[in-house]
């Protein structure tokens, strides 16, 4: 190889080295920064080249024996890049963490704001509830004050009534003393009359024998004796209860009376109350009946709420508002008020009984509110030609059998004596009934208050086996119903 070739080779190496230095300068710069970051001083190198200026016109070939530090530079570069990427990744993770933290804080702030709004609405609701509760308590306070005022007024009224009651007790005691003194005076006057008019009294008919049945327990709360009769002031009672003529019958009968207001059925007429019940009328009240042989319909009270219903009430006593001391025509045609005290009439009872087999129920109520009954398995009346003779079946109940002794007896009134007594039982017992001599029952007698009454004769509404002859019942009902 000549000198010229060596020069070309040297120049080619220098050019290759210069280009590699140009490429290596950025890498070296980064490496230098990396070493500075690690605290290591950069290594300094100095080179001196003497290269003649020559113009390269052809290809430059290098020898295979020339080796460069190319692999070492690439590893350092990769390491630096990796470190940079790791640093950037850490920074990105830090930023993500910061972003997540900020996002969580934002979400928490949103939740706090929402919760604050909910809390505000809840506080407003509680405030309204508190306001309503305050208003309600104020109203309750007003009501309590008003109630206290009413209680005070009621207390004052009760005190006034208590004082009034004490005054009445004093007056009652005074009146009782007067009554006792008058009873003594009446007894003395009776003895005087007997002494003065003894002969006349011997000639006058004696009263009927008193009922001998005296129950062990008389059903009355406070025993007392009274002659007072509760009556309707619009109706006249006989002034002289011992007169032979007696009061004239009232002109109105059950058929002619105007229908009172109340429970009244305009349908019908029915043959009896059981047929009215079977027609769908299950309410107790006034109904229009027309038995088979009756000429005209009549109004009656149907009892549909007792013992399966279907009962036709033929007699009712409850307050003494109707006078039952009447003559034959009144008892035949009927009298009284359908929704109060009334007697259906012997003719109507006779026509009802001719339609079939009927049973009789007698309901009695005493002055302490107790009700007892007497049930007879069969009941009907015979024709007027037989004096409407009573026909009864067997007895069952808890009131005692005080009507069987009247079985087979004709009806007696003040003006038509059909009883077995020498005198007229209707005159002494002040009513109309199937008297015997005179008997153990007088359900059409005088209505006395208080139960036990004081009278010369047993003329009250008595049932001998329940209360005795001197105990007048508060309420009586006689009802008939077809036998099942």
């Amino acid at each position: 190889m000549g000198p010229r070739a060596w020069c070309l080779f040297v120049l080619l190496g220098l050019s290759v080295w210069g280009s590699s230095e140009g490429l290596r300068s950025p890498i070296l710069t980064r490496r230098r920064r990396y070493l500075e970051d690690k605290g290591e001083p950069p290594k300094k190198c100095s080179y001196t080249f003497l290269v003649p200026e020559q113009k390269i016109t052809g290809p430059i070939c290098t020898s295979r024996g020339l080796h460069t530090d190319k692999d070492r530079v690439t590893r350092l570069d990769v390491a630096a890049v990796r470190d940079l990427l790791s640093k950037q990744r850490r920074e990105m993770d830090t930023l993500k963490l910061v972003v997540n933290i900020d996002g969580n804080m934002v979400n928490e702030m949103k939740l706090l704001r929402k919760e604050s709004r909910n809390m505000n609405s809840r506080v407003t609701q509680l405030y309204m509830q508190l306001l309503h509760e305050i208003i309600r308590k104020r109203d309750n306070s007003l009501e309590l004050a008003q109630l206290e005022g009413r209680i005070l007024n009621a207390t004052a009224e009760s005190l006034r009534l208590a004082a009034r009651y004490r005054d009445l007790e004093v007056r009652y005691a005074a009146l009782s003393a007067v009554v006792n003194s008058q009873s003594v005076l009446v007894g003395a006057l009776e003895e005087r009359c007997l002494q003065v008019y003894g002969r006349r009294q011997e000639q006058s008919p004696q009263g009927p024998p008193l009922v001998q049945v005296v129950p062990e327990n008389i059903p009355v709360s406070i025993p007392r004796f009274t002659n007072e009769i509760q009556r309707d002031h619009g109706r006249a009672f006989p002034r002289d209860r011992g007169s032979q003529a007696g009061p004239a019958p009232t002109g109105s009968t059950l058929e002619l009376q105007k229908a009172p207001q109340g429970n009244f059925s305009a349908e019908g007429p029915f043959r009896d109350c059981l047929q009215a019940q079977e027609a769908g009328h299950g309410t107790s009240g006034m109904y229009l009946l027309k038995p088979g042989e009756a000429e005209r319909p009549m109004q009656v009270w149907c009892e549909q709420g007792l013992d399966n219903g279907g009962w036709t009430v033929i007699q009712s006593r409850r307050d003494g508002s109707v006078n039952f001391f009447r003559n034959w025509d009144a008892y035949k045609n009927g009298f009284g008020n359908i929704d109060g005290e009334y007697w259906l009439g012997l003719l109507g009872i006779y026509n009802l009984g001719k339609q079939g087999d009927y049973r009789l129920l007698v309901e009695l109520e005493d002055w302490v509110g107790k009700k007892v009954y007497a049930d007879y398995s069969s009941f009907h009346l015979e024709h007027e030609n037989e004096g409407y003779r009573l026909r009864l079946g067997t007895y069952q109940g808890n009131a005692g059998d005080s009507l069987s002794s009247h079985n087979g007896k004709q009806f007696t009134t003040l003006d038509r004596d059909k009883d077995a007594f020498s005198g007229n039982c209707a005159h002494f017992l002040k009513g109309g009934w199937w008297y015997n001599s005179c008997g153990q029952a007088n359900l059409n007698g005088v209505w006395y208050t208080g139960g036990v009454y004081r009278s010369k004769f047993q003329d009250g509404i008595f049932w001998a086996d329940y209360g005795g002859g001197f105990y007048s019942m508060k309420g009586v009902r006689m009802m008939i119903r077809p036998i099942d």
Side-chain angles (χ1 to χ4, degrees):
M1 182 181 294
R4 188 178 179 82
W6 280 107
C7 290
L8 293 172
F9 181 76
V10 171
L11 290 174
L12 182 59
L14 290 174
S15 62
V16 172
W17 181 82
S19 62
S20 63
E21 284 291 329
L23 294 171
R24 289 173 56 189
S25 58
I27 299 174
L28 291 175
T29 302
R30 290 194 297 272
R31 181 181 180 188
R32 191 182 300 114
R33 291 178 181 175
Y34 173 74
L35 294 175
E36 288 177 357
D37 294 335
K38 290 186 175 183
E40 296 181 2
K43 296 180 180 181
K44 296 182 180 180
C45 298
S46 61
Y47 301 93
T48 302
F49 296 98
L50 295 177
V51 180
E53 296 183 0
Q54 292 183 359
K55 186 177 182 180
I56 300 174
T57 59
I60 299 175
C61 298
T62 60
S63 176
R64 294 182 179 180
L66 185 62
H67 298 282
T68 62
D69 198 7
K70 186 176 180 180
D71 295 337
R72 183 169 177 266
V73 172
T74 302
R75 286 195 297 272
L76 292 174
D77 185 34
V78 170
V81 171
R82 287 178 177 175
D83 291 338
L84 182 60
L85 290 175
S86 299
K87 184 177 180 180
Q88 291 178 354
R89 191 175 290 109
R90 286 195 298 274
E91 290 177 355
M92 290 180 65
D93 292 338
T94 303
L95 291 174
K96 287 181 179 179
L97 181 61
V98 172
V99 169
N100 291 332
I101 293 174
D102 293 341
N104 292 333
M105 291 181 65
V106 171
N107 292 332
E108 289 180 359
M109 289 296 295
K110 290 181 179 179
L111 292 175
L112 288 174
R113 288 178 181 176
K114 184 176 180 180
E115 187 175 357
S116 177
R117 289 193 296 270
N118 295 335
M119 188 64 67
N120 290 334
S121 62
R122 180 60 178 168
V123 169
T124 302
Q125 184 180 2
L126 291 175
Y127 174 75
M128 296 301 296
Q129 291 180 357
L130 179 61
L131 184 61
H132 291 162
E133 187 69 19
I134 292 173
I135 295 173
R136 188 180 64 82
K137 287 186 176 180
R138 185 183 64 182
D139 296 339
N140 290 339
S141 300
L142 294 176
E143 291 180 359
L144 182 60
Q146 295 175 357
L147 181 60
E148 289 178 351
R150 289 197 295 269
I151 290 174
L152 291 176
N153 294 334
T155 304
E157 183 67 18
S158 63
L159 293 175
R160 188 183 67 82
L161 291 176
R164 178 65 176 167
Y165 178 74
R166 287 192 294 271
D167 295 339
L168 291 176
E169 281 185 338
V170 173
R171 293 179 60 187
Y172 178 76
L175 291 175
S176 298
V178 172
V179 169
N180 291 331
S181 62
Q182 289 180 351
S183 298
V184 175
L185 181 59
V186 167
L189 291 175
E190 286 180 351
E191 292 179 359
R192 182 71 178 274
C193 290
L194 289 175
Q195 293 175 0
V196 175
Y197 302 101
R199 295 180 180 179
R200 295 184 181 180
Q201 199 71 12
E202 291 178 358
Q203 296 176 359
S204 62
Q206 299 295 325
L210 300 180
V211 174
Q212 300 300 322
V213 178
V214 179
E216 296 180 359
N217 299 320
I218 297 177
V220 63
S221 57
I222 303 176
R224 60 178 177 174
F225 295 88
T226 178
N227 284 356
E228 181 184 1
I229 304 175
Q230 298 291 338
R231 68 194 66 176
D232 186 359
H233 296 289
R235 295 182 178 271
F237 276 66
R239 295 181 180 179
D240 185 6
R241 297 186 335 193
S243 62
Q244 294 290 338
T250 58
S252 61
T253 62
L254 289 179
E255 292 82 4
L256 300 178
Q257 286 180 353
K258 181 180 179 181
Q261 299 296 327
N263 296 329
F264 176 73
S265 175
E267 298 184 16
F270 305 100
R271 63 191 302 266
D272 53 26
C273 290
L274 180 61
Q275 187 182 39
Q277 183 191 41
E278 293 173 349
H281 300 280
T283 304
S284 299
M286 291 174 286
Y287 291 85
L288 199 63
L289 303 186
K290 188 177 184 302
E293 296 186 3
E295 297 180 358
R296 293 179 296 175
M298 56 184 178
Q299 291 177 359
V300 302
W301 184 273
C302 291
E303 178 58 51
Q304 309 291 16
L306 179 67
D307 191 19
N308 299 324
W311 294 97
T312 303
V313 180
I314 63 176
Q315 187 249 29
S316 176
R317 306 295 302 273
R318 63 174 65 178
D319 54 12
S321 59
V322 175
N323 178 18
F324 274 68
F325 192 28
R326 308 219 177 192
N327 59 15
W328 179 266
D329 291 336
Y331 270 99
K332 175 183 176 180
N333 297 317
F335 54 87
N337 303 315
I338 300 299
D339 58 345
E341 291 194 341
Y342 78 96
W343 172 260
L344 180 59
L346 294 170
L347 180 59
I349 300 172
Y350 168 76
N351 289 329
L352 283 171
K354 285 193 64 177
Q355 298 182 122
D357 297 330
Y358 283 78
R359 51 185 283 208
L360 172 67
L361 178 65
V362 180
E363 182 186 65
L364 306 171
E365 181 182 4
D366 59 28
W367 286 88
V368 294
K370 182 180 179 181
K371 290 185 178 182
V372 293
Y373 74 96
D375 190 355
Y376 294 89
S377 60
S378 64
F379 168 83
H380 72 275
L381 301 182
E382 294 185 1
H383 193 266
E384 184 179 6
N385 296 334
E386 294 294 327
Y388 294 113
R389 193 183 303 274
L390 176 65
R391 296 300 182 184
L392 289 176
T394 58
Y395 158 82
Q396 65 175 356
N398 59 356
D401 185 11
S402 295
L403 193 59
S404 292
S405 61
H406 299 263
N407 188 20
K409 306 304 176 183
Q410 298 183 11
F411 200 84
T412 295
T413 60
L414 184 65
D415 57 343
R416 190 169 297 189
D417 187 3
K418 299 291 183 178
D419 56 57
F421 181 59
S422 59
N424 189 338
C425 291
H427 165 72
F428 293 102
L429 303 188
K430 306 300 184 293
W433 196 248
W434 297 276
Y435 292 115
N436 186 353
S437 180
C438 286
Q440 304 293 308
N442 186 38
L443 300 186
N444 289 334
V446 180
W447 192 87
Y448 289 107
T449 60
V452 178
Y453 63 95
R454 183 178 184 274
S455 178
K456 186 176 181 180
F457 305 107
Q458 294 174 331
D459 54 2
I461 305 173
F462 70 85
W463 188 268
D465 287 271
Y466 188 79
F470 281 103
Y471 185 89
S472 183
M473 294 294 167
K474 181 180 180 180
V476 176
R477 287 197 304 177
M478 298 177 64
M479 300 169 280
I480 62 174
R481 184 181 188 274
I483 299 175
D484 298 333

